[in-house]
Amino acid sequence: MKTPLILLCLLVAMCGVVVASFVTEEAPTGRGVTHSTFETMDEGGPASRHTHSVLTLGWIFGMLQVALFVGFLTLAARRDARGLIRALILSGVAYAEVFTITVFVYQQNVATAEAEFIGSFPAATTWMLFGLWPVPFLFVVVYVVGFRRWVWSPDDRERFEQILAARKAQPEAPQ
Amino acid sequence: MEAYRPIIILVCVGIYLVMCIGVGLWAMTRTKSTRDFFMAGRHLGIMVTSVAVFSSTMSGFGFVGGPGLVYKMGISSLWMVVCTSIGYSLTFFLLAKRLRLFAELRDSVSLPDAVMARYNSSTSSCLTAVAILLGVMGYLATQILAMATVLQSILAGIEWIGEIPLEASVAISCLVLVFYCVTGGIIASVYTDLVQGFVMMFAAGLVFVAAMLAVDGGFEGMSRTLVADDPEAISPWGTLGIIGGLSWYFLFTLGGCGQPHVITKLMMTRDVGEARHMLPMTILGYTVSALLWIGIGLAMRAVVLQGLHPELTKADDAAPAFLQSYAHPLLAGIVFAGLLAAIMSTADSFLNIGAAAVVHDIPRAIRGRSLQHELFWARTATVIIAVIAAGFALYSGERFVALLGAFGWGTFAAAIVPTVAIGFNWKRATPLAANVAILSSLFVNFAVKVLGMLTGFTIPFGIHEGAVALIVSLTLFFAISLMSTPQKIDEDIEAVMEM
C-alpha cells in the first residue's frame, strides 16, 4: 500500500507543476517563436527566457518524472524481490543525478552566456544525448541480469503451469 | 545514375510492396483461426517480436514528422527519442510477463479481453475497446494519408505516370495494406514488420552517414552553425523550452506502455522467458532507426541556415528534400521504401486491433459472447475499417483529421497506462477507477483540442495536452482505487499478479 500512496503523492505534485505553469510568468519566446529569417523554422531567442523560476519548475517536473518512473518499475516487482527494488532505486538515483547535471550545466551556460562544447555538441546537450539517453539502460541491465531470479524464475514457471492446469480442469471456466 | 533516380526509387518501393504481398500470401496458409488472426497463435520468437514492437512504435511520424520537427524546433523533439531506454524498460517491466500470462490463462485475443480477465468488468473491457477504436480511426486516417502522399510524390517523379489524384494513390497503397492484413492477419503484420524493421534500420544507418557528410564539419559543423544562429535551438530543450520538452518526455516515456498496437505484441510471444532478450533488442532497433530522425533534421536545419539549400516550403519536407538533394539514388530508393515500411508497419497493427475491437471485444462486452464465424467477420471488418479511415483521410477535411488525430498517442496513453500497465500490477485497482481513467482521457484530450480550435487556447510553456491528460487520468485512477471498496479478483488472475 505504501508504494501506491507515494505514487499518488507524486502525481498530485505533478498536477501542482501543471497548475504552477499557469501562474509562472512565461517570456514571449517561452516556447519558441517563428525564426526571424526562415518562416518554416522556430527560434528560442535569448536563453534568459529560462528564468530561475522556470528552470526550477522544469527541474522539479523532471525529478518528479524520474521518481514516478522508478516507482512504477518497483510496482511491477514482487514484494519479496528486495534485491530488485534496491537495484531499481539505485539506478533511479543515477538517473536523477544525470538529469540534474543536465539542468545544472545548462544553467551554467545561461549564466556565462557562451556555449561550452563537449565533443560535437554544447555541454548540456551532450549530457542529454550521451547521459540521459543511455543511463536508464541500467534498468535494462537489471532486467536482463536479474530476470531468472526476480522476474520469471523456474519456480514461477512451475507455479504458472499448476495454475493453468487447475483452470483447465474446471468444467466451465469463465473466459 | 542521377537521371534514373525516379525509376530507381519506384523499383525499390515496388520490390518492397511485392514483398508485402508475398508475406500476406504466405501468412494466409498459417492463419486458420481467430487466435492466429489476432494473436499469431502465440508463437512469435524473440527476433520477430522485438522488431515488431519497435517498428510498430516508429510510425511514419518518425520518418517524416520527426526530422521535420528537428528542422523546425531543434533539439526539442529529441525528447521523444531519448525516452526509448526508459520507455521500453517500463513497458517490459510492467507488461511483458503479465500480459503474456493473462493471454495464455484466459486465451485472450485482444487487450480488452485481458482487461475483462483482470477487472471482471464488461464496462471496462468495452470502454477500452471503444478508446482503442477511436484511436485506431484517428491514427489510421493520418497514416493512410501519409502513405498516399508518399506514394503520390514517388509516382509524380516518373514522367510517363505524372501527377496522379490523391484518391488513386490512397487506393493503390490501401490495396496492398489491406491485402496482406486480410489474408494473413497479425501473422502477416508481424512478419512484414520484420522486413519493415530491417529496412528501416538499414535506411536510417545509411542516411545518418549521408547526413554527416552533407554538412561541412560533420556533426560539430552542424552544431556550431545552429549555435551561431540560435543557441537555444541546440540546447537540450530546443526552441520549445524546458517545461514543454519535458512534457513530451513524460508523454512518450510512460505513454509507450499504453499503445495497444505495440503492447498487444507482448501477448503473442512463444515464451515469457524470452522477454529478457527482447528488451535490449527492441531498444537497439528503435535507436538505430531514430538516427534518421536526428541526422536529417539537424542536417537540413544546418544547410538551410548556411545558405546551401533553399528554405523548405514546410518543415515536413525535410526528409524528402534531403533524400532528393543529398542521398544517392539507390539510398533514396531504400529510404522511400523504409518510409512506406514505417507507415505500413503501424497501420497494419491498427487495422488488426481495430478489427478485434469491432468483431470480438465490443460484441463480447455487450452480448457476452463473440460473433459466429469470427474469422470471416474479422477479415470483413479489416476491409471496412480501412475504407472508413481512407474516407476520413480524403473527405473529412484537415480539421476533422486533426481532431481524430487527438485520439492518438495521448489518448491511448491516458486511457491504457492506468487501466492496463498499472492495473495489471496493482491488485487494489478497481474497475470504477479504470472506467473513470478511460473516460477522463477521452474528455481531456478532446476538450483541449476543441478549445484550442475554437478559442486558440494552449497550455502554458507548450505543455502537451496528452501529458496533462495522462497526469489527470493516473491521479484519478490511484485516488479512486484507494478510496473505493476493493474488488474481488479471480483466484487464478490474482495468483498471476503475485508472481
Side-chain angles (χ1 to χ4, degrees), chain B residues 187-388:
Chain B
I187 298 179
S189 168
V190 291
Y191 280 93
T192 47
D193 282 357
L194 184 69
V195 177
Q196 288 154 355
F198 279 110
V199 172
M200 283 154 66
M201 280 196 284
F202 185 65
L206 290 176
V207 163
F208 188 69
V209 176
M212 287 214 283
L213 296 174
V215 184
D216 280 344
F219 256 116
E220 188 161 350
M222 287 179 208
S223 221
R224 290 201 182 273
T225 304
L226 266 60
V227 166
D229 174 67
D230 176 28
E232 281 294 273
I234 188 90
S235 81
W237 330 113
T239 61
L240 184 60
I242 183 168
I243 299 176
L246 287 175
S247 76
W248 286 9
Y249 187 60
F250 179 68
L251 178 62
F252 286 87
T253 298
L254 199 52
C257 316
Q259 303 308 307
H261 57 298
V262 177
I263 60 176
T264 308
K265 305 279 186 331
L266 300 174
M267 297 168 77
M268 303 172 192
T269 57
R270 192 169 47 198
D271 185 74
V272 182
E274 291 179 347
R276 180 190 190 190
H277 306 289
M278 287 171 199
L279 173 58
M281 286 171 71
T282 303
I283 294 176
L284 179 73
Y286 192 93
T287 305
V288 173
S289 300
L291 291 176
L292 184 141
W293 182 326
I294 302 169
I296 289 186
L298 288 177
M300 283 312 293
R301 189 168 172 113
V303 291
V304 170
L305 288 172
Q306 287 171 348
L308 299 174
H309 194 282
E311 187 185 358
L312 304 178
T313 321
K314 57 181 194 295
D316 279 351
D317 285 345
F322 177 86
L323 294 173
Q324 296 292 353
S325 307
Y326 301 101
H328 186 275
L330 195 57
L331 174 59
I334 294 169
V335 177
F336 270 113
L339 178 55
L340 274 180
I343 300 168
M344 290 170 94
S345 62
T346 306
D348 59 19
S349 305
F350 282 128
L351 272 179
N352 195 267
I353 58 169
V358 171
V359 304
H360 182 83
D361 304 320
I362 295 175
R364 273 193 82 177
I366 294 170
R367 305 166 43 196
R369 61 192 159 84
S370 317
L371 298 178
Q372 281 188 326
H373 311 295
E374 211 175 32
L375 183 58
F376 167 78
W377 287 115
R379 288 182 158 136
T380 310
T382 305
V383 178
I384 293 171
I385 290 171
V387 170
I388 294 173

Side-chain angles (χ1 to χ4, degrees), chain B residues 2 124 252 268 412 480:
Chain B
E2 201 55 43
S124 302
F252 286 87
M268 303 172 192
F412 282 148
I480 293 172

Side-chain angles (χ1 to χ4, degrees), chain A residues 39-40 44 49 95 120 125 133, chain B residues 85 223 230 234 239 249 311:
Chain A
E39 276 181 9
T40 51
R49 67 185 179 142
Y95 184 17
S120 302
T125 309
W133 193 350
Chain B
S85 45
S223 221
D230 176 28
I234 188 90
T239 61
Y249 187 60
E311 187 185 358

Side-chain angles (χ1 to χ4, degrees), chain B residues 78-93:
Chain B
L78 295 195
W79 286 101
M80 299 179 196
V81 176
V82 298
C83 69
T84 46
S85 45
I86 179 67
Y88 281 125
S89 296
L90 278 161
T91 301
F92 275 76
F93 264 99

